[in-house]
Structure formats: structure tokens, C-alpha cells
Amino acid sequence: MPSEKIKISILGATGVVGQNYIKLLQEHPWFKITDVAASHRSAGKPYEEAVKEKWQMSIEIPKEVKDLIVRDVQDFDSLKSNISFVFSAMDLPQKEDTKTIEFKYAEKGIPVISNSSANRWTVDVPMIIPEINYNHTEIIPIQQKNRGISKGFVVVKPNCSIQSYITPIYALEVNGFKVEKLIVTTLQAVSGAGYPGVPSLDMLDNIVPYIGGEEEKSEKEPLKVLGKVGEKGIINNDSIQISATCTRVPVTDGHTACVNLKFKNKIPTKEEIIKIWKEFKSVPQELDLPFAPKQPIIYLENIDRPQPRKDRDNDKGMAVTVGRLRKDNVFDYKFVALSHNTIRGAAGGAILNAELLKVKGFLK
Ligand code: NAP
């Protein structure tokens, strides 16, 4: 690895996900934040002043970041020439605008690793969970060719809740137990709505049984993640059916998913499933990437786990925690899965994507 760290920028640095990047990247061995950008409302202010009302992290703003002057994400001319790539955590009112801005960075030779849903359905943009579809980086050259881009590209990570159930499903699939159907009910934390997010009077003593667009994402995104590389982009998996209900619950961090699953033909025993989950490892672990959890799926035997407050920080918030595997009267099995939405589901997951891209030679 190079002795000098790779200089990077955070777009949307003032938001909940942006703040998580700033916390998580403090001591990163390869990457260093030297530029922060947000809306015109924050532009021109020192970072500390731009976030003073809304800093949510449990640490002080790191000294290397607090005096950086926030750039407008659309002020491409002020982007320092030594920035190698950007993490995008913007939340613009119109997704099309986010899409356009991300590709403008790519056209200017800057790789973009994004949390936004804006480019998730762009067919030549890989949507990566490194333990699952690490090979989808193969469509980056196709994306560059399609668009006449030479150095830059856009890579996204999926929605903040899906890794909690898709990683355990993928582990079963690669071990020969093909899944036919899933019914998923998510209980999603308030931090998933950004800051200031859902009004407190809607959340306290309450559950909101609707999150705009979330059920469609939960049903469709896994099919791209589990898809294969085609000549023009990703060809979605069409063999798994998913039905999702997504709810917002009064939990700060950590999205829970209650899952019922039906296998195609071969049905594993409960012991086989637990063994597969406990032993599951993939490319990030083989490559020993700095943000890779040692054990991507942690199975807890205790009957009342996983719980967000107790289990969301497992392996620094990067592991998926699973429990309550039991027979289902309608499908074959049911279980409960949990992952940290702003770490594994957002900033941490994207940092792991960047590490994979770096090792594969896409980030210079
Ligand atoms: P957030 O707290 O609302 O932050 C939004 C960020 O976008 C802020 O930095 C904001 O800058 C910037 N922004 C807003 N309008 C803008 C504009 N017109 N031009 C440029 N920048 C603008 O949202 P968040 O929760 O961090 O989410 C950020 C992105 O990550 C979203 O696309 C979201 O869907 C995705 N995501 C979130 C989570 C999660 O758990 N929260 C998980 C996965 C993915 P100002 O402060 O200057 O307004």
C-alpha cells in the first residue's frame, strides 16, 4: 500500500451519512478527507460552522476536517486536482439532479462511490455488496466505454437495509440451497431518514408503517446485487421473488428485518443453515480489507436477539447479525436479521466498496 494516503472528498458531508464518513475515516490507513462539499446553504463556511446545529456523531469533529471550507457540490472548478475519488452522500430533492452531478464528476475523471439511490437502477452502474457481487466491478470498463469516460466512473451501494437479509440468503445460495421466495418486514431506524428526518411527534410512542419508495427498493435491489455481468451492464436475477413491508420504528440506528423464506427444492436442516452462516467468508475477508468484518454474518443463539441497541455495533457496525432461525408453518424457515444502517448500510459499506476498488486497481 502507498505510504501517502489517497486524498478524497465527501459530497453531502454535512448530512447524517456524510458525518459518518468523517467519523469512520479518521484513522483510515489508505484514505484521507481533504475536501468536503454540500449544498449552496453550507458552501463557503468552515465545516464546523456548517454542521454546528446538526452534528450527530459521538466524537468531536476531527481537527483535519473542522476548518475545511465547504464547497458547493456543483462547484467543479474549486475541486482540488489531487482528489482521487469522492464518496457521494448527497440528498437532493430531485434524484435526476444527483444522477447528473455524479456523472459530471465521473466525466471529469473522478470516480464516484455513492450512497444515493439515484444511480442504483442505471444498468451499467454496479451496485455492490463486496461479500456478494465483488465481480460486478467488471462492468466499470463497459460503463466507461458506453459513456466515453476515460478515468472516472460511478459505483453505488444498495439500500441501507438489504444487506441484513441478502447476505445470509447469498451464503445459502452459494452453498447450493437455492431460494425461491422471501417475505421481508423491516423495522427501520430513524437515522435512515437523515437529519432532521421524521418529526419526533411522529416517532415517539409510535410506528410508521410506510417509508416512501423503500418497499420497491427492498424488492428490486437484491435482484441486481444477485445478478450477473452482461455485455451492456448487469442482468438482474429473475429466480427469487421478494415481497417487502417497510416500517419506521423509534430506534436511533440499526435496521431489523423479519424474514420468511422458501427454498426451491433442496431444503437444508436448521443446523446446516447455522453452520453455513457462521462459516461464511468472502473476498473482503480473503483480501483482509481494513473495513471488512472478520465474520460477515454473526449468528446469535439467544432466543431474544438480535436487538438494535445490543447488536448493531458488532464488528464496528460492519457485521450482519442474525438470530431466531426457526421452522415456518407457511414457508420453510424464518429468521430475524439486523445491520447498522449508517455504517454497514451507508458510509462503512461504501468505504468497503472503495477498498475493494482500490485493491482491484480502479482507484489510483
Ligand atoms: P441528510 O442527513 O438529509 O443529508 C443530506 C446531504 O445532502 C447534506 O449534506 C445536504 O447539504 C446535502 N444536500 C441537500 N440538498 C442539496 C442540494 N440541493 N445540493 C447539494 N447538496 C445537497 O441525508 P443522509 O441520511 O445523510 O442521506 C444521504 C444520502 O445517502 C441519501 O441519498 C440517502 O438516501 C442515502 N442513504 C442514507 C442512509 C441512512 O441510513 N441515513 C443509508 C443509505 C443511504 P446541506 O447540509 O448543505 O443541506
Side-chain angles (χ1 to χ4, degrees):
M1 283 304 139
S3 50
E4 198 178 330
K5 291 189 185 178
I6 295 176
K7 297 183 174 63
I8 62 151
S9 173
I10 313 289
L11 314 181
T14 50
V16 167
V17 177
Q19 293 176 28
N20 271 278
Y21 278 115
I22 285 162
K23 180 179 175 190
L24 293 173
L25 286 168
Q26 278 185 101
E27 308 278 322
H28 197 280
W30 305 346
F31 310 138
K32 181 178 168 58
I33 302 169
T34 58
D35 180 75
V36 285
S39 79
H40 61 90
R41 295 177 289 276
S42 307
K45 297 176 187 167
Y47 182 77
E48 186 177 33
E49 187 189 329
V51 287
K52 69 172 185 290
E53 307 290 326
K54 48 187 180 186
W55 180 251
Q56 295 294 309
M57 301 297 100
S58 54
I59 56 157
E60 295 290 310
I61 302 171
K63 60 178 184 333
E64 314 77 59
V65 174
K66 70 186 174 74
D67 296 327
L68 291 176
I69 301 297
V70 180
R71 190 172 54 81
D72 186 320
V73 293
Q74 303 208 55
D75 178 5
F76 300 98
D77 294 338
S78 305
L79 183 69
K80 295 171 197 137
S81 60
N82 60 5
I83 297 294
S84 292
F85 71 92
V86 299
F87 285 110
S88 166
M90 302 178 279
D91 199 6
L92 276 72
Q94 302 299 327
K95 296 276 175 230
E96 277 307 308
D97 293 337
T98 304
K99 208 171 179 172
T100 307
I101 293 170
E102 290 186 347
F103 268 106
K104 272 198 182 157
Y105 277 90
E107 282 158 19
K108 288 181 181 296
I110 307 287
V112 177
I113 299 164
S114 179
N115 294 94
S116 164
S117 59
N119 269 307
R120 287 189 199 147
W121 280 98
T122 312
V123 69
D124 58 0
V125 170
M127 176 158 58
I128 297 179
I129 295 176
E131 280 86 354
I132 301 178
N133 56 344
Y134 45 83
N135 63 323
H136 285 196
T137 54
E138 287 165 22
I139 65 165
I140 292 172
I142 299 173
Q143 182 192 117
Q144 290 172 321
K145 190 162 167 247
N146 286 349
R147 295 158 189 278
I149 299 174
S150 59
K151 265 172 66 199
F153 55 82
V154 177
V155 164
V156 298
K157 62 161 297 307
N159 180 263
C160 45
S161 64
I162 77 165
Q163 65 278 333
S164 72
Y165 52 95
I166 290 306
T167 314
I169 296 300
Y170 171 75
L172 297 171
E173 291 244 328
V174 284
N175 279 280
F177 297 106
K178 299 291 175 199
V179 172
E180 184 184 344
K181 291 178 183 179
L182 291 183
I183 294 184
V184 182
T185 304
T186 65
L187 297 88
Q188 301 190 197
V190 287
S191 62
Y195 186 83
V198 190
S200 54
L201 275 182
D202 285 338
M203 275 329 304
L204 291 169
D205 187 30
N206 207 14
I207 290 174
V208 180
Y210 173 73
I211 307 174
E214 204 75 358
E215 291 174 355
E216 293 80 352
K217 291 176 193 165
S218 306
E219 290 171 356
K220 279 175 65 187
E221 291 183 12
L223 307 181
K224 185 170 181 183
V225 173
L226 296 172
K228 58 179 193 235
V229 178
E231 274 178 28
K232 296 206 169 118
I234 299 298
I235 301 166
N236 296 337
N237 177 307
D238 59 2
S239 70
I240 300 183
Q241 286 176 279
I242 305 174
S243 170
T245 301
C246 297
T247 72
R248 186 77 72 198
V249 297
V251 162
T252 51
D253 292 308
H255 288 351
T256 301
C258 303
V259 184
N260 303 61
L261 84 154
K262 183 168 171 30
F263 288 95
K264 275 211 164 73
N265 30 50
K266 222 167 50 154
I267 303 174
T269 63
K270 182 178 170 183
E271 290 69 30
E272 280 174 318
I273 296 177
I274 293 173
K275 185 169 185 296
I276 286 170
W277 285 345
K278 285 186 170 173
E279 290 178 357
F280 176 70
K281 287 203 167 53
S282 184
V283 166
Q285 289 70 38
E286 284 159 20
L287 294 172
D288 199 18
L289 299 178
F291 262 59
K294 297 268 169 296
Q295 210 179 319
I297 304 170
I298 295 175
Y299 186 81
L300 298 180
E301 303 283 349
N302 320 41
I303 198 66
D304 61 351
R305 303 284 276 277
Q307 295 178 17
R309 194 153 41 81
K310 295 178 180 170
D311 300 312
R312 63 191 168 208
D313 293 324
N314 283 338
D315 212 331
K316 298 186 283 309
M318 289 298 287
V320 166
T321 306
V322 183
R324 301 217 60 218
L325 178 70
R326 60 222 191 271
K327 284 272 185 195
D328 185 41
N329 289 335
V330 180
F331 282 6
D332 294 319
Y333 284 98
K334 47 190 170 181
F335 63 92
V336 179
L338 167 81
S339 67
H340 198 303
N341 56 298
T342 58
I343 301 181
R344 181 69 210 219
I351 293 169
L352 191 60
N353 278 348
E355 293 171 350
L356 178 74
L357 289 162
K358 165 82 187 102
V359 170
K360 288 190 167 202
F362 287 102
L363 302 175
K364 306 286 183 212

